[in-house]
Amino acid sequence: MTSLIRHVTIDCADAYTLAGFWSQVLGTPLHEDDKPGDEEALIEGAGLLFVTVPEGKTVKNRVHLDLQPQDRTRDAEVERLLALGATLVDDRRRADGTGWAVLADPNTHN
């Protein structure tokens, strides 16, 4: 017998707030039981579980999410994510449409 990945769990300073950001990014709702102040928040359809932890981030992330826009251009999606509160960390986009943008979610600045 093998195992399946149930969730990708993300430690953060405020689970509900960060999950709310990602819920907007992905267009997928938070679990109906999640409320502001909860120590855990789940985006079930995406398999993302956010958990509030007391310690801050001290080293580089070892996991990141690569997004692919479904109904707009890469550049339009970057602008949408910035409007939702993301920060542009590194812009590697090229004029020919190749490359990528590295964004930080709002929680990484705590």
Side-chain angles (χ1 to χ4, degrees):
M1 182 169 273
T2 61
S3 293
L4 297 174
I5 295 173
R6 181 172 179 178
H7 303 118
V8 174
T9 302
I10 300 169
D11 292 350
C12 56
D14 182 340
Y16 185 82
T17 299
L18 187 57
F21 167 78
W22 279 101
S23 173
Q24 291 180 356
V25 168
L26 300 173
T28 304
L30 291 174
H31 190 276
E32 63 188 25
D33 293 339
D34 292 331
K35 305 286 184 264
D38 285 353
E39 292 189 5
E40 296 180 359
L42 175 63
I43 304 175
E44 198 164 24
L48 296 176
L49 175 63
F50 298 85
V51 178
T52 300
V53 297
E55 64 275 356
K57 183 179 131 183
T58 58
V59 296
K60 181 180 186 259
N61 291 336
R62 295 184 60 144
V63 175
H64 64 269
L65 304 177
D66 291 335
L67 303 175
Q68 182 176 357
Q70 299 299 297
D71 60 356
R72 66 198 77 202
T73 67
R74 173 199 61 192
D75 294 340
E77 183 66 352
V78 167
E79 293 306 314
R80 184 180 80 88
L81 299 176
L82 293 172
L84 289 175
T87 301
L88 184 62
V89 174
D90 188 14
D91 195 340
R92 297 182 179 212
R93 293 175 286 176
R94 296 184 202 95
D96 67 0
T98 61
W100 62 91
V102 177
L103 303 173
D105 58 49
N107 189 62
T108 61
H109 305 292
N110 294 0

